[in-house]
Amino acid sequence: MTGKRKTNPAGSTNSYRGDVLRVLGALKVATADQIQRIGAPHLTFRHADQPTPSKQKQARTASHTGALSDMRKHGLSENGGSTETGDSLRNLTLKGLEAASYELRRPVTEMGSTARGAGSSGASHPMAVNETVIALLRPKPNMAKLADDPPHVQAAAQAAVDGPDGIGTIASYWTEVPLPATGTWNAPGKGGAQADLVLTAPQDGVPLLFIEVDNCHETAEELALKLEKYARFFRRTAKDTDGKERPMWRTRWTAPQGPYGDTPHPPVLLVFNHIGERNPNRTVPRLQELTRHLWQGERQRGGHHLYDRKIPGLRR
């Protein structure tokens, strides 16, 4: 027992260290609060009776905070500044990303960067991306882990279990994914985009979805330029393993063809987090006009539309 404590002086378990690797491997940078809400949502209900929100957060994140402390001693994670509200930001080292690749069953070459320095300005955008993931995941508590808890705790957790299902698992999400218009996947050239999120959850009816999160700081013109870069990437072709030319994105991801024989580009979801000064209700109409050529389909005699080489997510 003494040897175990010396190896992991904060007393963390493999389970909680696994949570940290999976969450940070996907999100790159996150708070202990976000790691806990994704990795062990049952803890939220177990500690809901603490007298203040601060004590609730401290109690429910204690296990993952301990895991982060032990992993930092092993050179797997590091502190990366703090959010605008004072929460510590955590990210993995290169050694940690390699360990996370095993947890996520994801090639090391697709793990991305360590996100070092993301907290130098409060990381408001990465935090908004993380909250988007949590909103889509809808993490549900494991009721078996609350079997010995009081009835009111079990009842609150069961209500969450009975709520709408989320989409995918944390392994279904990639963040900060380069979409090279020139260059390669690992060495992108100029003119490309970088997806805030890529979601692949075919088991939940979402084979491929690109997601852009805007904190309402960008103008419609700036967002339109970003979507033009998406379209440029989607149009790019590359040789696949069989030697045939295909859209470059299809050499990495799969998605069905259009229902009428057309070949639409993958959908792009725009998520507006209204913390900036711009009103999304005013931005969206202008953005639709600027990008109409990217998303508008062609009406057919049968009443349906074809979206050949269009981005369906940009439609209202």
Side-chain angles (χ1 to χ4, degrees), residues 64-267:
H64 290 98
T65 300
L68 286 159
S69 177
D70 286 335
M71 292 172 64
R72 187 180 181 189
K73 288 179 173 63
H74 295 311
L76 297 172
S77 70
E78 59 188 6
N79 293 343
S82 61
T83 67
E84 294 175 347
T85 57
D87 289 319
S88 295
L89 290 167
R90 316 300 180 110
N91 62 271
L92 298 177
T93 62
L94 290 175
K95 181 180 177 182
L97 286 174
E98 184 176 354
S101 73
Y102 291 98
E103 289 287 335
L104 293 169
R105 299 182 181 181
R106 188 173 295 179
V108 175
T109 54
E110 295 181 12
M111 293 304 297
S113 65
T114 62
R116 181 172 292 167
S120 59
S121 59
S124 62
H125 186 258
M127 293 301 97
V129 171
N130 292 356
E131 291 300 324
T132 300
V133 172
I134 294 173
L136 291 168
L137 275 174
R138 293 180 179 270
K140 294 182 181 294
N142 184 342
M143 293 303 296
K145 294 185 177 182
L146 297 171
D148 296 329
D149 284 270
H152 72 278
V153 171
Q154 295 185 27
Q158 187 62 53
V161 171
D162 294 338
D165 290 333
I167 302 174
T169 67
I170 190 60
S172 304
Y173 294 81
W174 282 257
T175 57
E176 301 177 8
V177 181
L179 308 178
T182 60
T184 65
W185 289 109
N186 294 326
K190 295 181 179 180
Q194 178 170 281
D196 288 336
L197 283 169
V198 179
L199 167 60
T200 58
Q203 71 276 18
D204 293 323
V206 186
L208 179 62
L209 177 65
F210 293 83
I211 304 172
E212 281 296 311
V213 180
D214 176 40
N215 281 341
C216 294
H217 295 306
E218 295 182 284
T219 66
E221 288 74 14
E222 289 170 327
L223 292 173
L225 178 60
K226 186 177 294 187
L227 294 171
E228 290 283 1
K229 290 181 178 180
Y230 265 89
R232 185 180 180 191
F233 165 71
F234 290 152
R235 290 192 294 266
R236 186 180 179 185
T237 61
K239 281 190 177 181
D240 209 338
T241 53
D242 60 3
K244 295 182 179 179
E245 288 280 335
R246 287 185 174 84
M248 187 176 183
W249 63 268
R250 284 192 179 275
T251 67
R252 184 169 181 178
W253 299 291
T254 59
Q257 299 289 336
Y260 302 104
D262 51 341
T263 55
H265 295 320

Side-chain angles (χ1 to χ4, degrees), residues 48-65:
D49 58 352
Q50 292 291 324
T52 65
S54 176
K55 290 187 179 297
Q56 289 174 14
K57 180 185 289 188
Q58 183 178 4
R60 63 185 171 81
T61 61
S63 296
H64 290 98
T65 300

Side-chain angles (χ1 to χ4, degrees), residues 290-309:
L290 291 170
T291 59
R292 185 174 298 277
H293 62 288
L294 298 178
W295 57 263
Q296 189 169 54
E298 295 182 6
R299 185 177 177 84
Q300 307 299 300
R301 287 186 176 181
H304 63 278
H305 288 75
L306 292 183
Y307 296 95
D308 194 47
R309 287 167 290 185

